[in-house]
């Protein structure tokens, strides 16, 4: 199943947020969408999910304009995990994940033992089964984020859209969840901040800058010293390993470091650029 944006643009409050963006999320791939704050990543994710309608251009789900499909039909194929999604309802962790089964519930198809099994598996996958009876408002931000991903997995989508899914998570759960998503065999598009994570888990990267798509390709082709400097305003050193892996080391220049001291921040995590 493929999700495509064709020359999409979007504006809000008279300001152009996205301009003429075209890309395909190919069947079975993990596409990372990277870029600095304000580059249009979240707006692009909303368009891809069909939550917002483009000012111009179109989004296609398996070749069909997503705006022509019913919300239930879209929800059975595609799930979105947003940056911030809260509720004032007094629900438990398990009930939050059960919401993922909503697209499949109809008068003639009530809740079933199969739904229970799917929800249990989703809770287990995001390491929240032991907290399934806890009330939502008693959970930490990281625990809530893991439940959002659990809800999306319980939805049994074929395409998973993640908008900064590792927000509020410690490093262990960041890597664990991205690895979990990678192993689901889904078509995935994720807006990510951490370039090392993007290189480690993504098949291709789409680079956003100023509302435009400025680069698209394999991590090893996209994550260059020049690209990182131009898009993120950061100096970096990239070491390629003989096995195709690479190391990204960020360099704090004297213009940013306190008291004019040059500080080198060395990343010791190996990232896969294949």
């Amino acid at each position: 199943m493929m999700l495509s944006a064709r020359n999409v643009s979007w504006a809000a409050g008279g300001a152009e947020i996205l301009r003429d963006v075209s890309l395909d999320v190919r069947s079975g791939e993990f596409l990372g969408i990277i870029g600095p704050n304000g580059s249009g990543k979240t707006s692009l994710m909303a368009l891809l999910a069909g939550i917002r309608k483009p000012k111009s251009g179109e989004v296609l789900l398996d070749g069909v304009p997503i705006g022509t499909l019913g919300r239930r039909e879209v929800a059975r194929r595609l799930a979105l995990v947003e940056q911030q999604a809260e509720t004032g309802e007094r629900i438990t962790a398990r009930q939050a994940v059960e919401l993922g089964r909503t697209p499949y519930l109809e008068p003639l198809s009530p809740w079933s033992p199969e739904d229970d099994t799917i929800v249990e598996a989703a809770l287990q996958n995001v390491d929240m089964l032991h907290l399934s009876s806890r009330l939502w408002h008693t959970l930490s931000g990281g625990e809530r984020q893991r439940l959002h991903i659990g809800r999306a997995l319980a939805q049994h989508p074929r395409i998973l859209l993640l908008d900064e899914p590792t927000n509020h998570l410690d490093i262990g759960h960041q890597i664990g969840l991205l690895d979990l998503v990678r192993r689901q065999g889904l078509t995935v598009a994720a807006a990510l901040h951490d370039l090392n994570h993007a290189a480690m888990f993504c098949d291709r990267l789409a680079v956003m800058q100023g509302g435009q798509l400025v680069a698209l390709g394999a991590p090893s082709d996209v994550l260059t010293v020049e690209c990182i400097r131009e898009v993120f305003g950061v100096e970096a050193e990239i070491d390629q390993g003989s096995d195709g892996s690479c190391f990204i080391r960020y360099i704090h220049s004297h213009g940013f470091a306190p008291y004019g001291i040059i500080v080198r921040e060395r990343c010791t995590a190996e990232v896969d650029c294949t």
Side-chain angles (χ1 to χ4, degrees):
M1 177 169 285
M2 186 162 70
L3 185 64
S4 303
R6 292 286 177 265
N7 305 109
V8 296
S9 298
W10 189 72
E16 193 171 44
I17 307 299
L18 291 173
R19 184 165 63 257
D20 197 31
V21 175
S22 294
L23 59 80
D24 293 322
V25 187
R26 300 169 181 167
S27 180
E29 82 166 336
F30 194 138
L31 175 71
I33 302 174
I34 61 175
N37 291 339
S39 60
K41 300 188 301 297
T42 293
S43 296
L44 178 58
M45 297 296 287
L47 294 183
L48 290 174
I51 293 176
R52 292 174 179 165
K53 182 179 179 180
K55 177 183 177 182
S56 60
E58 61 181 355
V59 173
L60 304 174
L61 182 57
D62 256 0
V64 179
I66 198 169
T68 67
L69 301 173
R71 290 310 306 166
R72 184 183 294 270
E73 185 177 0
V74 172
R76 288 181 174 182
R77 304 190 205 178
L78 180 153
L80 169 67
V81 176
E82 300 179 82
Q83 285 188 48
Q84 300 288 340
E86 294 299 333
T87 179
E89 299 294 325
R90 192 175 177 83
I91 63 173
T92 65
R94 182 186 181 90
Q95 288 170 331
V97 175
E98 287 176 349
L99 292 173
R101 302 305 299 157
T102 302
Y104 302 94
L105 301 180
E106 299 181 16
L108 297 180
S109 302
W111 192 269
S112 69
E114 180 184 5
D115 294 308
D116 280 324
T117 300
I118 290 171
V119 169
E120 293 259 340
L123 284 164
Q124 183 70 49
N125 276 340
V126 296
D127 193 25
M128 288 294 291
L129 187 59
H130 64 295
L131 296 178
S132 60
S133 62
R134 285 271 299 274
L135 290 173
W136 177 267
H137 71 274
T138 69
L139 299 168
S140 70
E143 289 166 343
R144 294 179 187 183
Q145 187 70 355
R146 283 150 59 192
L147 287 175
H148 285 311
I149 295 176
R151 184 267 309 161
L153 294 178
Q155 200 171 320
H156 269 197
R158 295 171 63 187
I159 297 175
L160 183 59
L161 303 179
L162 306 169
D163 189 7
E164 298 183 21
T166 56
N167 269 1
H168 310 297
L169 299 181
D170 58 64
I171 185 63
H173 280 107
Q174 288 178 28
I175 294 175
L177 277 174
L178 290 174
D179 180 63
L180 168 67
V181 169
R182 174 82 182 185
R183 291 186 283 105
Q184 297 304 304
L186 299 172
T187 300
V188 180
L192 300 170
H193 265 308
D194 192 305
L195 301 187
N196 284 321
H197 289 170
M200 185 184 299
F201 293 102
C202 298
D203 300 303
R204 291 191 303 149
L205 297 178
V207 184
M208 299 293 298
Q209 183 180 28
Q212 291 183 291
L213 180 66
V214 296
L216 179 63
S220 56
D221 295 330
V222 167
L223 292 177
T224 63
V225 170
E226 294 76 19
C227 179
I228 293 173
R229 177 190 300 125
E230 180 177 342
V231 174
F232 296 93
V234 175
E235 294 295 330
E237 296 175 349
I238 302 175
D239 296 336
Q240 296 286 341
S242 59
D243 59 353
S245 62
C246 69
F247 295 92
I248 300 175
R249 296 179 294 173
Y250 301 102
I251 304 170
H252 293 295
S253 69
H254 66 275
F256 296 96
Y259 312 114
I261 300 173
I262 298 178
V263 180
R264 290 180 181 267
E265 177 187 10
R266 298 187 180 275
C267 175
T268 59
E270 185 174 0
V271 292
D272 187 3
C273 288
T274 58

